[in-house]
């Protein structure tokens, strides 16, 4: 949760304060070590799906991610059939076009969505394949699980691949570009994958770590704190006492509710309106962009490695799909 900034007096109007914030964006930011910002955008939307920042360049596209997923499912099911176990194959959900790693850092939703669902996810926005995948996971038998993971050496007189059919699929997709079993993430944490190395979702994990490191700095940046205070002041004028968007989004009065009530919808609508009024998203994107560029310089090796490996995996996946 952010703490309100009190460095600038409240007698300064919202427009004047925002002008001061924009002015700070064009300075060197030497005091406090804050990086220079480029031009601050004024997005005509409040849609996380339309946000782009420098780290996105290290992610596969939704189409490429779907290719990886499709290849893995086809390879696993083919392996299981070859072992003589054809029942309950892994399902392949339809292509949604959605990014695997979304920009949820600024807690924005289109106004029309807030008016209908408050802070809740629209029913049609949920992964259409999640239900089938969940049912599949619950229906996996002990025998099937053993073949998928390689807990048994043979089945029907046939040798089970090391680490099972899942491991075999991973080896085919990552051939020539396997990862280490443990990788140091951009935020300094160590991520372990087990014997087979990482696979699908690896680039997202690396970028998520890098973005988390950048966002930790964003939240401490004076320019972002200034626009957060502007947002808070705007909310206060409408009768809502929140010091940050996260405190509104995660208000305990509706955090556990399955459906949005009138009060939640009212707060969400006011929240999005205030974000639009003070250009909260535009300032946030500008500040995030500056810090992501720093993180990219600091973590170039692991980011480039994840990007290169994923590109090779996509080639392997396409070859596997064409062969089946």
């Amino acid at each position: 949760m952010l703490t309100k900034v009190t460095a600038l007096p409240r007698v300064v109007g919202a427009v004047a304060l925002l002008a001061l914030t924009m002015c700070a964006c064009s300075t060197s930011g030497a005091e406090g070590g804050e990086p220079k910002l480029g031009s601050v955008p004024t997005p005509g939307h409040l849609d996380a799906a339309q946000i782009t920042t420098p780290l996105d360049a290290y992610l596969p596209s939704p189409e490429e991610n779907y290719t990886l997923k499709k290849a893995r499912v086809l390879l696993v099911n083919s392996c299981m059939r070859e072992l003589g176990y054809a029942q309950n194959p892994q399902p392949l959900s339809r292509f949604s076009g959605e990014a695997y790693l979304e920009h949820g850092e600024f807690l924005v939703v289109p106004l029309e969505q807030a008016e209908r669902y408050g802070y809740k996810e629209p029913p049609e926005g949920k992964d259409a394949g999640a239900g089938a995948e969940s049912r599949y996971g619950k229906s996996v038998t002990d025998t099937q699980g053993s073949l998928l993971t390689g807990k048994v050496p043979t089945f029907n007189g046939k040798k089970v691949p090391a680490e099972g059919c899942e491991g075999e699929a991973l080896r085919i997709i990552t051939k020539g570009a396997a990862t280490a079993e443990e990788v140091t993430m951009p935020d300094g944490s160590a991520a372990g994958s087990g014997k087979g190395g990482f696979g699908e979702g690896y680039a997202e994990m690396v970028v998520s770590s890098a973005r988390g490191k950048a966002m930790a700095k964003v939240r401490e940046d004076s320019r972002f704190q200034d626009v957060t205070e502007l947002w808070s002041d705007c909310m206060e004028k409408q009768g809502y006492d929140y010091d940050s968007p996260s405190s509104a989004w995660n208000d305990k009065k509706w955090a556990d509710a399955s459906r949005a009530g009138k009060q939640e919808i009212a707060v969400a609508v006011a929240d999005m309106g205030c974000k639009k009024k003070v250009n909260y998203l535009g300032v946030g994107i500008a500040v995030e962009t500056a810090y992501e560029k720093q993180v990219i310089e600091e973590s170039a090796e692991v980011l480039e490695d994840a990007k290169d490996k994923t590109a090779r995996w996509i080639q392997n996946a396409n070859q596997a799909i064409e062969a089946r």
Side-chain angles (χ1 to χ4, degrees), residues 41-161:
T42 306
H45 65 84
L46 290 172
D47 186 355
Q50 297 186 50
I51 297 173
T52 57
T53 58
L55 280 168
D56 293 329
Y58 296 89
L59 294 170
S61 68
E63 291 81 5
E64 290 171 334
N65 255 323
Y66 190 72
T67 295
L68 291 172
K69 183 175 185 177
K70 182 178 181 179
R72 175 177 54 79
V73 170
L74 290 176
L75 287 167
V76 166
N77 289 340
S78 175
C79 172
M80 294 291 285
R81 288 194 301 271
E82 289 174 3
L83 291 174
Y85 195 103
Q87 55 266 47
N88 194 32
Q90 285 193 7
L92 177 65
S93 59
R94 64 176 177 82
F95 176 62
S96 68
E98 297 177 356
Y100 278 29
L101 182 61
E102 298 179 340
H103 278 280
E105 56 267 37
F106 296 119
L107 304 178
V108 293
V109 296
L111 183 58
E112 57 272 21
Q113 179 177 324
E115 291 172 339
R116 294 186 64 187
Y117 305 107
Y119 292 116
K120 302 292 187 290
E121 183 181 2
E124 62 271 19
K126 296 179 181 178
D127 182 2
E133 292 175 3
S134 177
R135 290 191 296 273
Y136 166 77
K138 293 177 182 178
S139 63
V140 171
T141 65
D142 290 342
T143 298
Q144 186 176 11
S146 295
L147 299 178
L148 288 169
T149 59
K151 290 183 178 179
V152 293
T154 60
F155 182 75
N156 284 340
K158 298 181 179 179
K159 184 178 180 181
V160 176

Side-chain angles (χ1 to χ4, degrees), residues 35-312:
K36 289 183 180 180
L37 305 188
S39 60
V40 177
T42 306
H45 65 84
L46 290 172
D47 186 355
Q50 297 186 50
I51 297 173
T52 57
T53 58
L55 280 168
D56 293 329
Y58 296 89
L59 294 170
S61 68
E63 291 81 5
E64 290 171 334
N65 255 323
Y66 190 72
T67 295
L68 291 172
K69 183 175 185 177
K70 182 178 181 179
R72 175 177 54 79
V73 170
L74 290 176
L75 287 167
V76 166
N77 289 340
S78 175
C79 172
M80 294 291 285
R81 288 194 301 271
E82 289 174 3
L83 291 174
Y85 195 103
Q87 55 266 47
N88 194 32
Q90 285 193 7
L92 177 65
S93 59
R94 64 176 177 82
F95 176 62
S96 68
E98 297 177 356
Y100 278 29
L101 182 61
E102 298 179 340
H103 278 280
E105 56 267 37
F106 296 119
L107 304 178
V108 293
V109 296
L111 183 58
E112 57 272 21
Q113 179 177 324
E115 291 172 339
R116 294 186 64 187
Y117 305 107
Y119 292 116
K120 302 292 187 290
E121 183 181 2
E124 62 271 19
K126 296 179 181 178
D127 182 2
E133 292 175 3
S134 177
R135 290 191 296 273
Y136 166 77
K138 293 177 182 178
S139 63
V140 171
T141 65
D142 290 342
T143 298
Q144 186 176 11
S146 295
L147 299 178
L148 288 169
T149 59
K151 290 183 178 179
V152 293
T154 60
F155 182 75
N156 284 340
K158 298 181 179 179
K159 184 178 180 181
V160 176
E163 283 81 53
C165 288
E166 289 280 8
E168 179 72 0
L170 178 63
R171 284 190 294 275
I172 292 172
I173 292 172
T174 63
K175 184 178 180 181
T179 69
E181 293 181 11
E182 184 173 282
V183 178
T184 300
M185 295 288 105
D187 64 2
S189 64
S193 64
K195 294 181 180 179
F198 293 96
E200 183 184 341
Y202 177 56
E204 284 79 4
M205 181 176 65
V206 173
V207 169
S208 180
S209 169
R211 182 162 292 149
K213 182 179 180 180
M215 285 304 300
K217 297 178 181 179
V218 169
R219 296 184 183 96
E220 297 299 320
D221 188 279
S222 64
R223 297 157 295 189
F224 184 66
Q225 290 183 337
D226 286 346
V227 79
T228 299
E229 184 177 10
L230 280 178
W231 172 89
S232 181
D233 289 344
C234 177
M235 292 291 284
E236 186 176 359
K237 289 177 182 177
Q238 298 186 61
Y240 304 115
D241 184 18
Y242 294 105
D243 64 356
S244 71
S246 63
S247 62
W249 191 286
N250 298 310
D251 192 316
K252 63 182 180 181
K253 291 193 293 291
W254 44 74
D256 297 326
S258 59
R259 297 182 63 180
K262 291 183 179 180
Q263 186 180 13
E264 178 183 339
I265 290 174
V267 171
V269 169
D271 178 357
M272 299 309 136
C274 285
K275 282 176 175 150
K276 192 78 171 177
K277 183 176 181 179
V278 305
N279 197 26
Y280 177 88
L281 181 57
V283 174
I285 290 172
V287 178
E288 180 181 3
T289 294
Y291 285 107
E292 282 196 3
K293 288 179 178 178
Q294 287 186 345
V295 173
I296 288 171
E297 290 183 3
E298 296 164 356
S299 305
E301 185 175 352
V302 65
L303 286 165
E304 290 291 346
D305 182 66
K307 184 176 181 179
D308 292 344
K309 281 184 167 55
T310 301
R312 179 62 182 272

Side-chain angles (χ1 to χ4, degrees), residues 3-20:
T3 302
K4 276 194 173 184
V5 178
T6 57
L8 292 171
R10 286 190 178 274
V11 294
V12 179
V15 174
L17 182 54
L18 187 56
L20 288 174

